[in-house]
Amino acid sequence: MLKLFDTHAHYNDSRFDEIGGAQKAIEESFASGVVGFINCGTNPESCLESIAIAEKYKNVYAAAGLHPEDAPDYAANIDETLDRICALLEHEKVVAVGEIGLDYHWDIAKPLQHEVFDRQLSIAGEKKMPVIVHDRDAHGKTLEMIKMHPDVMGVMHGYSGSAETAKEYVKMGWYIAFGGPLTYKNAEKVRDACRAVPLDRILLETDCPYLPPVPHRGEVNRSDYMFHSLSVMAPLLGVSEEECAEATLENTKRLFNISF
């Protein structure tokens, strides 16, 4: 059986209630060959929920960070909020600062986004931890800000930028993660970017319960649906599914300094 690791999940999301709960989806995913996942927080409360999930399962980890969409809710006490997140980074099951980044799709004050992202990149550098970066419609600014922190390493989650920009991240030693959108009919740009990423810098993810792959569009996404993304990723990279699965697993271990 192929073994896959989901580098980006949100099993604390209430949408899992629609399919019998997160525990059911997690256990069925494990039975299908998923060996673990990282549950990503987006604010102090969801970070605590992510840690609680990680504590329940072997080979399950958490990431703690303040997402750009959540930042406005904490703008009045941003120092205290980032201090709370810093404290959570000390937990033995927390392996990354995330989910952090920029989102220009929504009407969120850019100066606030920039400040929160920059400060969390600095925290990651101080803690010597990788980051999990969200970049929506802010490709140029995201790359610019990351370049200001050359000591920080991480993964571009749910990558939607160009192949050329992906190559820039790879040159910097970064990793690129792909999931369900690889399977979408009109996502040739995403597949082009995937082709541009070398086998030793690519990761698999779901962003579950969001962005389910074909043939599960419209459903609640879950970690075992990664196998559909793998079936598209492997031929794009010119390798077998077995080689691709093994490479993404090793890349996950290397970036997040975990073993399983």
Side-chain angles (χ1 to χ4, degrees), residues 42-49 65-66 74 81-82 84-85 88:
T42 61
N43 58 51
E45 290 72 30
S46 67
C47 291
L48 284 170
E49 293 169 353
L66 183 61
Y74 297 85
T81 300
L82 294 182
R84 289 173 65 190
I85 288 172
L88 295 177

Side-chain angles (χ1 to χ4, degrees), residues 1 9 14 22 31 45 77 93 95-96 105 110 120 134 144 153 166 186 188 229 233 241 256:
M1 181 185 292
S14 62
E45 290 72 30
N77 57 346
K93 279 272 188 162
V95 296
H105 178 77
K110 291 180 181 178
Q120 290 183 101
H134 170 102
E144 174 190 324
M153 197 61 60
N186 297 321
E188 195 56 43
S229 301
M233 177 183 284
E241 291 186 19
F256 297 107

Side-chain angles (χ1 to χ4, degrees), residues 4 18 32 41 43-44 48 52-53 69 78 84 116 130 170 195 231:
L4 299 181
E18 301 172 23
S32 299
N43 58 51
L48 284 170
I53 291 171
E69 290 180 34
I78 199 68
R84 289 173 65 190
V116 170
V170 168
R195 292 186 188 96
S231 69

Side-chain angles (χ1 to χ4, degrees), residues 95 130-131 153-155 175 203 250-257:
V95 296
V131 294
M153 197 61 60
V155 55
Y175 294 74
L203 299 176
E250 290 305 311
N251 296 342
T252 298
K253 293 177 180 179
R254 187 186 317 116
L255 174 61
F256 297 107
N257 192 30

Side-chain angles (χ1 to χ4, degrees), residues 119-165:
R119 290 180 65 175
Q120 290 183 101
L121 287 170
S122 294
I123 289 168
E126 293 165 6
K127 298 283 187 181
K128 293 181 171 53
M129 297 182 75
V131 294
I132 297 172
V133 174
H134 170 102
D135 167 17
R136 189 176 186 188
D137 298 340
H139 306 315
K141 187 64 176 180
T142 301
L143 178 60
E144 174 190 324
M145 293 188 67
I146 286 173
K147 283 183 174 180
M148 295 168 60
H149 296 267
D151 57 328
V152 176
M153 197 61 60
V155 55
M156 298 305 298
H157 138 70
Y159 188 75
S160 60
S162 68
E164 291 73 23
T165 301

Side-chain angles (χ1 to χ4, degrees), residues 41-258:
T42 61
N43 58 51
E45 290 72 30
S46 67
C47 291
L48 284 170
E49 293 169 353
S50 294
I51 291 171
I53 291 171
E55 289 176 331
K56 290 181 181 179
Y57 301 97
K58 182 181 179 182
N59 299 338
V60 172
Y61 302 89
L66 183 61
H67 192 285
E69 290 180 34
D70 292 65
D73 295 333
Y74 297 85
N77 57 346
I78 199 68
D79 291 342
E80 177 188 345
T81 300
L82 294 182
D83 284 345
R84 289 173 65 190
I85 288 172
C86 270
L88 295 177
L89 295 173
E90 298 301 321
H91 192 283
E92 63 180 359
K93 279 272 188 162
V94 175
V95 296
V97 180
E99 177 180 355
I100 66 175
L102 301 177
D103 195 314
Y104 285 3
H105 178 77
W106 302 110
D107 185 19
I108 304 169
K110 291 180 181 178
L112 173 63
Q113 290 195 56
H114 298 164
E115 177 192 356
V116 170
F117 187 33
D118 183 69
R119 290 180 65 175
Q120 290 183 101
L121 287 170
S122 294
I123 289 168
E126 293 165 6
K127 298 283 187 181
K128 293 181 171 53
M129 297 182 75
V131 294
I132 297 172
V133 174
H134 170 102
D135 167 17
R136 189 176 186 188
D137 298 340
H139 306 315
K141 187 64 176 180
T142 301
L143 178 60
E144 174 190 324
M145 293 188 67
I146 286 173
K147 283 183 174 180
M148 295 168 60
H149 296 267
D151 57 328
V152 176
M153 197 61 60
V155 55
M156 298 305 298
H157 138 70
Y159 188 75
S160 60
S162 68
E164 291 73 23
T165 301
K167 291 176 183 177
E168 286 199 59
Y169 281 116
V170 168
K171 287 179 182 177
M172 293 160 55
W174 277 57
Y175 294 74
I176 312 289
F178 297 94
L182 273 180
T183 70
Y184 298 171
K185 180 179 179 180
N186 297 321
E188 195 56 43
K189 179 182 176 183
V190 176
R191 287 186 285 275
D192 284 342
C194 183
R195 292 186 188 96
V197 179
L199 193 59
D200 65 348
R201 283 294 180 271
I202 204 159
L203 299 176
L204 274 164
E205 63 166 41
T206 60
D207 202 15
C208 66
Y210 307 102
L211 300 174
V214 174
H216 297 286
R217 295 292 303 268
E219 300 178 20
V220 173
N221 200 7
R222 38 190 274 175
S223 293
D224 54 332
Y225 290 176
M226 276 189 301
F227 288 95
H228 297 292
S229 301
L230 173 70
S231 69
V232 174
M233 177 183 284
L236 290 174
L237 300 176
V239 298
S240 68
E241 291 186 19
E242 290 77 11
E243 290 175 287
C244 192
E246 182 177 351
T248 57
L249 205 56
E250 290 305 311
N251 296 342
T252 298
K253 293 177 180 179
R254 187 186 317 116
L255 174 61
F256 297 107
N257 192 30
I258 55 180

